[in-house]
Amino acid sequence: MSDYQWCHGPKCHTYHTQDRIRGVQGSKVLRTKKISINQYGYPKGVWTHFCSQGCWNDFMHEHWEEFIALYPRTECLETPITDPKKTTHTSESRWGNHSWTTIEFEKIGVDNG
Ligand SMILES: [Zn+2]
């Protein structure tokens, strides 16, 4: 079984690449790229609908307001963590002493709200 999608990038058909050239002599076009999805489901995820990172970016730039309207974030989310522990580290070398601090904590759970 073989299936395909047309790339959903709004400008896909305008990019100047040899593999987009279609049509007969005297009537050539740059055509939206076709994405073949094989029986193993490859490509997967976003690459089943976009031929490249550029086309995905174009789509997001053109439609982000609609996506945000669909999935608004009206409140912040929080991830509970343990009390952060600050540790100061020092390193001595012939070029001098160097010290830095790290902050360590663990996630207790993830808020999926
Ligand atoms: Zn594309």
Side-chain angles (χ1 to χ4, degrees), residues 70-89:
L70 274 172
Y71 301 101
R73 165 111 33 244
T74 54
E75 292 176 352
C76 63
L77 303 179
E78 293 182 346
T79 302
I81 58 169
T82 57
D83 288 337
K85 184 174 159 243
K86 187 174 175 179
T87 308
T88 301
H89 307 267

Side-chain angles (χ1 to χ4, degrees), residues 6-13 15 20 32-35 49-52 54-56 58:
W6 292 108
C7 174
H8 282 47
K11 297 186 215 162
C12 192
H13 65 292
Y15 291 123
R20 287 179 170 89
T32 297
K33 285 184 77 166
K34 186 186 266 191
I35 301 164
H49 288 72
F50 297 95
C51 75
S52 64
C55 280
W56 168 230
D58 291 342

Side-chain angles (χ1 to χ4, degrees), residues 14-85:
T14 67
Y15 291 123
H16 190 145
T17 64
Q18 199 173 328
D19 61 358
R20 287 179 170 89
I21 298 171
R22 292 291 184 273
V24 296
Q25 203 74 33
S27 184
K28 293 285 188 184
V29 295
L30 291 171
R31 184 178 292 164
T32 297
K33 285 184 77 166
K34 186 186 266 191
I35 301 164
S36 295
I37 299 156
N38 69 23
Q39 68 267 39
Y40 305 109
Y42 188 84
K44 292 186 186 298
V46 74
W47 308 119
T48 60
H49 288 72
F50 297 95
C51 75
S52 64
Q53 186 72 53
C55 280
W56 168 230
N57 288 347
D58 291 342
F59 184 82
M60 286 302 295
H61 284 292
E62 189 157 310
H63 299 292
W64 69 270
E65 287 174 314
E66 298 158 54
F67 297 143
I68 288 170
L70 274 172
Y71 301 101
R73 165 111 33 244
T74 54
E75 292 176 352
C76 63
L77 303 179
E78 293 182 346
T79 302
I81 58 169
T82 57
D83 288 337
K85 184 174 159 243

